[in-house]
Amino acid sequence: MRGLLSLLATDAPAGDAAAPARGHPARRALIATLLVCGGYYAGGALGMELRLVPGGPTEIWLPQGILLAALLMSPVRRWWLYAVALVPTHAQLTAALSPQVPASMMFVQFAGQFVQGAVAAALLRPILGNPPRLDSLRRMGAFIFGGTFLVPLVVQAVVVGIYVATGFVHDFWAPWQQRVLARMAGAVIVAAPILSIAASGLVGIRRRPRWVAELVLLTACLSAVLPLLFAWKPGHPPHQWLVIVPLPFLLWSAVRFGPGALGLHLLVVALVTLFCTRTGRGPFATGSVAQIIIALQGFFLFISIPLMLLAALVWENAQAAASLRRSREQYRSVVEDQVDLICRFLADGTYTFVNDAYCRHVQRAVSELIGEKVWQFLPAHRRPIAEAFLAAITPENPVASIEQHMAGAGGEGRWMEWTNRGYFDERGRVVEFQAVGHDITDRKHAEAVIKQSEEQVRHFVRHVPAAVAMFDRDMRYLIYSPRWLTDYKLGDQDLVGRSHYDVFPESPERWKEVHRRCLAGAVEVNDDDSFVRLDGSTDWLRWDVRPWRNARNEIGGIIMFTEVITERKRAEEEHRRLVAQARVAEALREVDRRKDEFLAMLAHELRNPLAPIAMAIEIMRLQEPGDDSIVWARDVIARQTAQLTRLVDDLLDVSRITLGKITLNRSPLDLGPIVAQAVEAVQPLFTARRHHLAIDMPAEPLPIWGDGARLTQIISNLLNNAARFTDDGGHIVLAARREGARLILSVKDDGIGIPPDMHERVFDMFAQIEWPGQRKQEGLGIGLALVKRLVEMHDGDIEARSAGAGCGSEMVVRLPMAEDDRPIVDGAAPAARDAARGPRPERILVVDDNVDAAETLSHVLRLSAHEVRVVHDGLAALAAAREMNPDVVLLDIGLPELDGLEVAKSLRGRAEGPRPLLVAITGFGQPEDRARTAAAGFDHHLTKPVDPKQLQALMQTARGERA
């Protein structure tokens, strides 16, 4: 039977009788499914046939127990197969024996009982184990009260609720009670024996042949008494007490044969009870149908649940008793073969057990020792010691050891280690002692050798020129080298016996973990580790930690070998830092190079469209317009073009100053012409915004040591900034005065003002001032940053002053004055002076691949009576130069066919004709760009857009030099 039931299990034992049938997984699953379906149908048909009312509820639903047992014994992956196979089985069963049940309700019934079985199986599998076993009170209790009682309460409530909702039944409590009790009885009576027999078979029967006769006798007796219970018809007075007649025989089955046989006997009682009650006999044949059903179900559960729990308890105790017997037998067999001396004796010293080794040692037979006292075999002087030793054994400390030197069996001296264990009753009184004596003579000799070796080790450690320390298992110092004290700055402390973690409370947890691993047998090495001291300083170590072993080959502790490598580590860190700095510096240089390339390209691309715009404005200015609106539009375009040009120039100047690529051409200058040129540069913006500019300067010259172009840029930027941040019609004052050896230059306005927290930050790159309610200001925020850097390059400083919002601001610049004995140079730009001499007609060749830029520039030059020819690539430029022999060549650098640098070299290499004035007109204005044009033979380098006045001045200067 067990082999057949094991087909349901996940794994089958090798050599099982059913193994051939279970060789193939698919065949095994099919056979298991057929068994479940057959049992399900048979149990259902039997229960329905024995119903009191045909077509009514069943008193005990046996398929529930079969389904629960199958789900518990089968792997979860097979559950779906059971569900699919049992649907038609249940449908056929219902159609054959309960045709009045609608198909929908039939499916609800099946779904409810399958869900009940699946939930119960899922909850019970962790408790019952694999395979499921009911061999303990805990498991049987969990099976009965959890799987067969609590789960049906919930699931059947849902099923009956659906019945009521659909009108299949009109009352909830009676159907729910009947369904819960029927399924609970079926699960307890059927599933329990199936699980027990599948797990262990009828162990009680197979153990001894005479038990087969006992089981047969029990079954015969039970079969004989059942007619006594149900032979009487209702109404006979003494029939009620007969319900207890089967109980002694069921108790007999539970105690002697366990849950498996008990379940079979309970099933017999249940079936006989149902059959006789249906025929109108027995104590349950009176009352209404509902009362009879409840009485039957109560009877089944009343006799099955306590008996199943009793069977599990008896079986559990029997297993425990068998295990104890086996343990005692194993203990005796093991102890008898031991070479250690083993004896057991009572609290008064009476021997209860001795092994052969003990008998040989005391040279007595077992019969001479059992019942005698321990004390008579001990020398008189050792008895007090032994009694004190035994008295120290308590329930809190039940084990104690002692070493003794005593005479051996041959009279020679031997060392014995006695380990005594006390056994106590529930009141804490000694019941018995067990003493085990182990000969440790060899160990003692080895310990003596090791002790001598340890002395040698101590001598070595004390004189080794390295940091070495030896610890016991509790990390207490045993010995250490003088270098240990020196390296760790411990002075002349005595560390022996002290905990390493008390000496170094700052020891990190990772080191403690290393120590624990080494105490477990590992060897740990680290060539580069850090150690943070309590004072915050960090030391770097190289260490080696390994265990040391005692005479018994046990790990007695660890040895640490360490070397402080802090200085070497710092040197390595410094080297790595320097290498990293070098790499960062190289990366920054590369970033700066790429940034310069980007800014140069950006300036070139911005200046290219600015050039034709500026020339177009100049053309409009030279042609007298007839409409004021055209004049206004021309001026607007001129101002915005000048602003955009200024932004590009400022952006490039800030980059060049930051990189140190701008040098000043300093000389003694008069501030007056510089101020005049700066005012002239910003006059269009002042006129457009209707600002009133007042200049407060002394009549005498103000000599200053500086670069005229950059000083003009400083003043014009300050004026431009004041104009932009002052509402239209504002007042701006430019003042200059001498103050000792320094020049004080200030630009004051009545504009929006500067917040107090921005007085210093206003000179940062891209800094912007925003007041609540004010419109967003124009510009990139680089003008003042550029001014600050140019002022500092002139050995000066700048300060921002403001009383707050709406109170205006003042920029104060302090610059060094020039020495009085130096000759003062006119601070105005040479171009401005030369332009004043007036233009003369020239033959000019304009070369630019930007057609608009070339045509607008040529148009401006023609308006000044110059002879102009325009070409757009390098080869055409060389051909035109041979044809017209120009006085001036205005040459772009980035040309197709042949770039401007190559064209310039070719023109300079010509032997015939006069030398023309070569002017590079390009969007590139970096110092390296100017160096390349100078090397190619250009006389001048102008960036787009070109100022026509500056260009005219260059040509005038060149003409004067040729003359």
Side-chain angles (χ1 to χ4, degrees):
M1 179 179 291
R2 182 184 177 189
L4 188 63
L5 291 175
S6 63
L7 286 168
L8 303 175
T10 306
D11 297 309
D16 198 295
R22 290 178 273 121
H24 193 278
R27 184 186 307 167
R28 180 179 177 185
L30 178 60
I31 294 174
T33 305
L34 292 176
L35 284 174
V36 172
C37 291
Y40 187 95
Y41 190 89
L46 187 60
M48 288 182 176
E49 288 294 341
L50 295 177
R51 289 179 294 186
L52 296 179
V53 179
T58 57
E59 290 74 20
I60 179 170
W61 185 243
L62 301 178
Q64 191 66 51
I66 296 171
L67 176 61
L68 178 57
L71 294 178
L72 282 170
M73 292 191 295
S74 303
V76 178
R77 63 177 180 274
R78 198 183 291 169
W79 288 6
W80 70 270
L81 185 60
Y82 293 161
V84 172
L86 287 175
V87 169
T89 303
H90 186 82
Q92 178 62 29
L93 183 64
T94 304
L97 299 175
S98 294
Q100 77 280 2
V101 177
S104 59
M105 292 300 101
M106 180 272 295
F107 282 111
V108 171
Q109 290 175 352
F110 176 76
Q113 68 185 28
F114 194 88
V115 169
Q116 175 183 324
V119 172
L123 295 175
L124 291 174
R125 285 169 77 96
I127 301 174
L128 303 187
N130 185 22
R133 307 180 72 90
L134 300 175
D135 54 359
S136 68
L137 185 62
R138 184 183 70 89
R139 290 178 173 178
M140 182 64 78
F143 170 76
I144 292 175
F145 295 107
T148 66
F149 179 64
L150 295 179
V151 174
L153 286 180
V154 177
V155 175
Q156 294 307 318
V158 176
V159 172
V160 177
I162 296 175
Y163 286 176
V164 174
T166 57
F168 183 61
V169 297
H170 301 290
D171 180 42
F172 177 84
W173 293 107
W176 174 73
Q177 183 180 15
Q178 291 172 0
R179 291 183 64 84
V180 170
L181 294 179
R183 279 147 182 79
M184 185 177 178
V188 172
I189 294 175
V190 177
I194 292 176
L195 294 176
S196 298
I197 295 173
S200 57
L202 296 175
V203 178
I205 298 174
R206 296 190 307 180
R207 182 172 297 167
R208 296 172 186 169
R210 65 182 181 85
W211 282 21
V212 176
E214 184 181 351
L215 179 61
V216 172
L217 177 62
L218 169 61
T219 306
C221 293
L222 183 63
S223 302
V225 300
L226 286 178
L228 295 177
L229 175 61
F230 299 104
W232 307 96
K233 289 188 176 182
H236 195 279
H239 80 281
Q240 295 293 340
W241 65 270
L242 294 176
V243 294
I244 66 172
V245 170
L247 288 181
F249 301 98
L250 294 175
L251 284 171
W252 183 3
S253 177
V255 172
R256 296 291 289 168
F257 301 105
L262 174 63
L264 296 177
H265 291 144
L266 285 171
L267 182 60
V268 172
V269 172
L271 294 178
V272 172
T273 303
L274 288 173
F275 176 77
C276 293
T277 304
R278 190 171 186 272
T279 59
R281 294 181 178 274
F284 302 106
T286 59
S288 66
V289 173
Q291 291 174 340
I292 293 173
I293 292 175
I294 295 300
L296 285 171
Q297 291 174 335
F299 172 68
F300 296 152
L301 294 176
F302 173 75
I303 63 173
S304 61
I305 291 178
L307 290 174
M308 280 294 178
L309 292 173
L310 175 63
L313 179 60
V314 171
W315 199 249
E316 183 178 15
N317 291 336
Q319 288 179 319
S323 176
L324 180 59
R325 285 194 301 271
R326 289 193 300 269
S327 176
R328 287 178 176 175
E329 292 171 359
Q330 292 171 356
Y331 170 79
R332 178 169 293 277
S333 63
V334 170
V335 167
E336 287 293 346
D337 296 335
Q338 290 294 316
V339 297
D340 288 340
L341 315 183
I342 302 176
C343 68
R344 297 173 73 99
F345 51 92
L346 301 177
D348 62 357
T350 303
Y351 283 111
T352 59
F353 172 82
V354 291
N355 71 342
D356 289 343
Y358 190 89
C359 293
R360 289 193 300 270
H361 179 75
V362 300
Q363 299 179 353
R364 297 285 192 280
V366 175
S367 59
E368 297 179 71
L369 295 176
I370 299 300
E372 300 295 332
K373 303 293 186 181
V374 171
W375 318 118
Q376 67 188 76
F377 300 100
L378 283 178
H381 67 280
R382 288 186 179 170
R383 179 167 179 171
I385 299 175
E387 290 177 342
F389 172 65
L390 293 175
I393 298 176
T394 63
E396 293 76 23
N397 299 288
V399 180
S401 297
I402 188 173
E403 294 180 357
Q404 290 182 337
H405 188 268
M406 54 195 304
E412 75 281 3
R414 308 294 294 178
W415 278 96
M416 299 295 296
E417 180 182 50
W418 289 96
T419 301
N420 283 24
R421 172 181 286 276
Y423 297 92
F424 302 86
D425 60 16
E426 62 276 3
R427 297 181 183 178
R429 296 178 300 185
V430 176
V431 175
E432 194 176 24
F433 288 106
Q434 174 180 281
V436 179
H438 180 66
D439 192 329
I440 59 171
T441 304
D442 294 339
R443 191 188 79 189
K444 283 293 187 179
H445 292 162
E447 287 177 352
V449 173
I450 289 178
K451 186 175 181 180
Q452 181 180 1
S453 300
E454 288 177 352
E455 288 299 325
Q456 294 172 350
V457 170
R458 292 175 187 274
H459 179 78
F460 167 76
V461 170
R462 288 192 187 101
H463 296 86
V464 69
V468 182
M470 188 173 181
F471 303 86
D472 63 12
R473 292 193 63 84
D474 295 324
M475 289 305 295
R476 291 190 295 264
Y477 282 89
L478 299 177
I479 189 173
Y480 49 88
S481 67
R483 181 70 175 271
W484 185 275
L485 298 176
T486 302
D487 283 358
Y488 294 110
K489 304 177 178 62
L490 298 175
D492 57 353
Q493 299 183 48
D494 183 8
L495 304 181
V496 175
R498 294 180 61 186
S499 170
H500 178 64
Y501 304 133
D502 291 339
V503 178
F504 294 100
E506 66 270 34
S507 295
E509 184 61 32
R510 58 188 175 83
W511 280 10
K512 296 179 181 179
E513 182 61 30
V514 168
H515 300 160
R516 287 191 285 267
R517 290 197 298 268
C518 292
L519 286 170
V523 175
E524 302 269 345
V525 178
N526 194 317
D527 292 330
D528 189 11
D529 201 359
S530 61
F531 172 48
V532 180
R533 295 182 177 275
L534 288 177
D535 60 3
S537 62
T538 300
D539 275 342
W540 290 89
L541 305 176
R542 173 183 174 276
W543 49 259
D544 183 312
V545 183
R546 57 188 64 232
W548 60 268
R549 296 182 178 272
N550 56 23
R552 290 170 295 205
N553 200 32
E554 299 170 346
I555 295 176
I558 61 174
I559 299 178
M560 291 190 199
F561 303 86
T562 67
E563 178 186 358
V564 178
I565 58 171
T566 304
E567 294 303 322
R568 187 185 78 187
K569 186 67 178 178
R570 287 173 180 167
E572 292 174 353
E573 290 293 333
E574 180 65 17
H575 174 71
R576 282 193 290 270
R577 187 182 65 81
L578 293 176
V579 171
Q581 285 181 348
R583 291 175 180 171
V584 170
E586 180 61 29
L588 291 175
R589 285 193 292 270
E590 177 64 18
V591 170
D592 286 339
R593 184 186 65 80
R594 294 184 180 183
K595 182 196 68 176
D596 291 345
E597 291 177 356
F598 170 76
L599 290 176
M601 183 59 66
L602 177 65
H604 177 268
E605 294 302 323
L606 290 174
R607 283 167 172 162
N608 272 336
L610 287 176
I613 295 173
M615 291 301 104
I617 295 170
E618 187 65 19
I619 291 170
M620 296 172 67
R621 184 177 289 112
L622 293 174
Q623 299 289 338
E624 188 65 30
D627 189 346
D628 291 343
S629 63
I630 297 300
V631 174
W632 175 84
R634 179 198 67 194
D635 293 342
V636 168
I637 296 172
R639 286 193 302 273
Q640 298 304 318
T641 302
Q643 178 68 12
L644 183 56
T645 303
R646 177 189 296 276
L647 289 175
V648 173
D649 291 341
D650 285 354
L651 184 61
L652 291 174
D653 282 346
V654 168
S655 174
R656 290 198 292 265
I657 290 175
T658 302
L659 297 176
K661 295 184 177 180
I662 287 185
T663 57
L664 300 180
N665 184 18
R666 301 177 72 172
S667 61
L669 302 172
D670 181 14
L671 185 64
I674 295 173
V675 169
Q677 189 170 350
V679 170
E680 180 183 0
V682 300
Q683 190 61 50
L685 176 60
F686 273 65
T687 302
R689 304 285 296 259
R690 302 188 307 279
H691 289 323
H692 303 281
L693 175 63
I695 300 176
D696 181 10
M697 293 180 60
E700 66 274 9
L702 291 174
I704 186 172
W705 179 251
D707 183 317
R710 295 302 178 183
L711 292 173
T712 302
Q713 189 176 6
I714 290 172
I715 299 173
S716 63
N717 272 13
L718 292 177
L719 291 172
N720 183 277
N721 188 75
R724 287 192 297 112
F725 290 96
T726 300
D727 292 337
D728 292 353
H731 297 80
I732 299 171
V733 177
L734 170 62
R737 69 182 187 277
R738 179 194 293 269
E739 191 174 282
R742 299 182 73 80
L743 169 69
I744 308 300
L745 175 70
S746 66
V747 175
K748 187 174 183 179
D749 60 64
D750 55 2
I752 65 174
I754 302 174
D757 62 332
M758 289 290 293
H759 285 184
E760 294 295 332
R761 292 168 48 204
V762 74
F763 298 105
D764 294 342
M765 283 289 292
F766 311 116
Q768 297 277 4
I769 299 175
E770 294 186 9
W771 287 103
Q774 294 282 350
R775 62 183 176 86
K776 180 174 176 60
Q777 299 299 326
E778 58 198 24
L780 297 178
I782 61 176
L784 291 180
L786 177 60
V787 167
K788 178 178 175 65
R789 285 159 175 76
L790 289 175
V791 168
E792 290 172 347
M793 289 179 67
H794 280 83
D795 303 321
D797 61 80
I798 184 171
E799 175 188 3
R801 299 174 180 173
S802 175
C807 298
S809 60
E810 181 180 11
M811 299 294 169
V812 180
V813 178
R814 301 176 184 85
L815 295 170
M817 300 286 291
E819 297 178 3
D820 294 337
D821 56 351
R822 293 188 180 184
I824 297 177
V825 180
D826 187 356
R833 296 191 304 267
D834 294 338
R837 301 173 185 171
R840 294 184 183 180
E842 301 275 4
R843 293 190 304 276
I844 302 174
L845 174 61
V846 177
V847 186
D848 198 333
D849 61 335
N850 188 322
V851 176
D852 288 342
E855 293 299 333
T856 52
L857 178 59
S858 65
H859 198 153
V860 170
L861 293 173
R862 289 190 183 102
L863 290 176
S864 298
H866 296 295
E867 177 187 346
V868 183
R869 184 170 178 179
V870 178
V871 294
H872 302 296
D873 62 71
L875 296 179
L878 294 177
R882 286 193 295 269
E883 294 174 4
M884 72 176 296
N885 200 15
D887 299 315
V888 180
V889 178
L890 306 180
L891 185 59
D892 188 20
I893 301 301
L895 295 174
E897 304 296 342
L898 193 67
D899 66 35
L901 297 176
E902 294 298 324
V903 172
K905 292 177 182 178
S906 298
L907 293 177
R908 287 290 181 242
R910 290 194 310 168
E912 71 280 2
R915 174 187 175 93
L917 175 68
L918 291 184
V919 180
I921 298 181
T922 177
F924 297 104
Q926 297 280 52
E928 50 268 27
D929 299 324
R930 297 179 182 275
R932 283 196 295 271
T933 56
F938 281 94
D939 296 300
H940 299 282
H941 185 115
L942 301 181
T943 55
K944 297 178 181 179
V946 176
D947 183 355
K949 294 179 181 180
Q950 183 183 10
L951 179 60
Q952 189 67 42
L954 291 178
M955 291 190 295
Q956 288 287 93
T957 301
R959 183 185 303 113
E961 293 175 352
R962 287 198 300 270

